[in-house]
Amino acid sequence: MEEASKVSRYLYTLIILFLIWLALTASLDEQELIFGFVLSAIVAAMTYPIFTTRGLANLHPKRVAYAIAYAPYFLWAMIMANLDVAYRVLHPKRPIRPGIVHCKTILKTNPGKLSLANSITLTPGTITLDVDGDDYFIHWIWVPDEVLHAESEEVHVEKASENITRPFEKFLKVIFG
Amino acid sequence: MNALAALGEVLVLIGTFFYFLSTLGLIRMPDVYNRMQTSTKSATLGSLGVIIGVGIWAVGNGLSWAWLVKATVIAVFLLLTNPISAHALIRAAYKSGIPLWHGSVVDKYREHIEAKEKVETEAPQEGGEE
């Protein structure tokens, strides 16, 4: 992924910092807005090289729309995850069959991989153990039969990816590229 | 306004229930990996419920909207940082050699590490012979 120009990256950092300032103060007083803008400008000047590599392209309407649509989808997955945890913890026989499985991702950028790892950690029965390039190693609390008895490594990776990473990738691919 | 306060109270109650599940999971699960599973997920959603619930509750009781906005900021921050800390803890646990539970069925990560080490140790030997 090529880097955007410095001005674009700086402006993007400034916008994000100013939005956070708005939420933190939760007031539209003129003095606070001006001071917040000055502070955002100073902090953005110091931190924009490490904050983003793509600049204003992150604010493409399609990306923002997908990000907004992703929020309820993700929250729903999270609630299902917690009901799943409730079932496993409260069930007298403790139905767990843990194991570490291997997945592959199609995402290329680092922010995308980070979001995918976070999403995996918070959704049903899975937690990210390590990420190495395209490979995800995931601790699964209930390894299903189709993954456990896969004939070869490729089939194993394919089945595991289908269950774990695919549902999020269709959103994250658009948001982070 | 009272409907908002009631909604906030219900959210706090649900969040507390998930906190309880998280603690129970710590006691019931057999090894560190499964404990991380239950505690991370339940504690994150429990915190979200409690924090957002307090924000809505405060607005319902006639305090300013700033309560809800700031509570949301805290909730988003927690949502973004909690899985990263869980990932760091579980990876450190694996690297320091804590074994999986005896009932665990498959460990692809061990195979991956061994395959990598094999490649790394073989490569310099070949270079030395030539």
Side-chain angles (χ1 to χ4, degrees):
Chain A
M1 178 74 50
E2 75 283 3
E3 287 203 353
S5 72
K6 279 188 177 178
V7 177
S8 160
R9 288 158 70 196
Y10 177 75
L11 283 178
Y12 176 69
T13 316
L14 179 63
I15 289 170
I16 295 295
L17 286 175
F18 191 60
L19 285 178
I20 295 174
W21 170 271
L22 275 184
L24 275 176
T25 56
S27 98
L28 291 174
D29 189 62
E30 192 183 326
Q31 284 184 341
E32 285 194 17
L33 286 186
I34 294 170
F35 192 59
F37 189 80
V38 171
L39 281 186
S40 307
I42 294 171
V43 176
M46 290 191 283
T47 58
Y48 80 92
I50 55 171
F51 185 63
T52 174
T53 58
R54 223 168 40 185
L56 288 172
N58 281 323
L59 293 176
H60 191 283
K62 195 175 165 198
R63 288 197 174 122
V64 175
Y66 265 76
I68 292 171
Y70 184 59
Y73 180 82
F74 174 69
L75 279 180
W76 177 249
M78 218 176 129
I79 291 167
M80 294 316 286
N82 279 276
L83 295 179
D84 180 72
V85 165
Y87 167 70
R88 295 192 196 290
V89 170
L90 296 176
H91 195 285
K93 281 187 188 151
R94 202 177 57 187
I96 58 173
R97 188 165 74 187
I100 297 171
V101 299
H102 182 183
C103 286
K104 275 196 189 306
T105 181
I106 53 171
L107 298 174
K108 298 286 176 245
T109 58
N110 282 335
K113 284 176 185 167
L114 173 67
S115 313
L116 182 60
N118 274 0
S119 305
I120 288 170
T121 300
L122 288 176
T123 49
T126 49
I127 187 166
T128 313
L129 191 77
D130 200 1
V131 181
D132 187 3
D134 282 348
D135 304 316
Y136 277 69
F137 294 92
I138 290 162
H139 185 267
W140 208 346
I141 203 166
W142 180 265
V143 182
D145 286 332
E146 52 180 14
V147 177
L148 185 56
H149 303 300
E151 305 92 56
S152 67
E153 180 75 15
E154 284 78 29
V155 179
H156 168 90
V157 170
E158 173 67 26
K159 295 273 184 200
S161 304
E162 210 166 273
N163 272 305
I164 297 176
T165 62
R166 292 288 152 73
F168 301 110
E169 272 176 353
K170 60 179 185 253
F171 284 93
L172 294 175
K173 200 172 59 187
V174 180
I175 300 173
F176 296 104
Chain B
M1 286 307 244
N2 272 332
L4 274 182
L7 178 64
E9 284 171 26
V10 169
L11 276 178
V12 171
L13 198 64
I14 294 174
T16 324
F17 173 67
F18 281 121
Y19 274 147
F20 170 72
L21 278 186
S22 161
T23 322
L24 194 64
L26 276 184
I27 300 169
R28 288 210 65 196
M29 288 297 153
D31 71 351
V32 62
Y33 306 100
N34 293 306
R35 282 180 189 149
M36 290 302 300
Q37 292 254 13
T38 55
S39 61
T40 307
K41 289 189 232 305
S42 302
T44 311
L45 191 73
S47 309
L48 281 192
V50 169
I51 293 170
I52 301 280
V54 164
I56 294 177
W57 196 348
V59 171
N61 276 343
L63 296 165
S64 75
W65 279 97
W67 278 77
L68 183 55
V69 178
K70 285 176 190 174
T72 311
V73 171
I74 299 172
V76 170
F77 181 76
L78 208 67
L79 184 66
L80 293 179
T81 51
N82 227 347
I84 300 179
S85 67
H87 167 65
L89 278 174
I90 195 171
R91 187 167 183 272
Y94 197 96
K95 295 280 181 191
S96 58
I98 295 174
L100 272 78
W101 183 45
H102 59 80
S104 302
V105 286
V106 57
D107 187 355
K108 291 284 174 191
Y109 190 44
R110 171 78 56 213
E111 295 168 18
H112 178 75
I113 291 178
E114 276 165 6
K116 232 179 166 181
E117 275 173 358
K118 210 175 161 193
V119 171
E120 276 171 10
T121 48
E122 272 175 6
Q125 277 174 2
E126 285 170 6
E129 282 166 7
E130 291 165 4

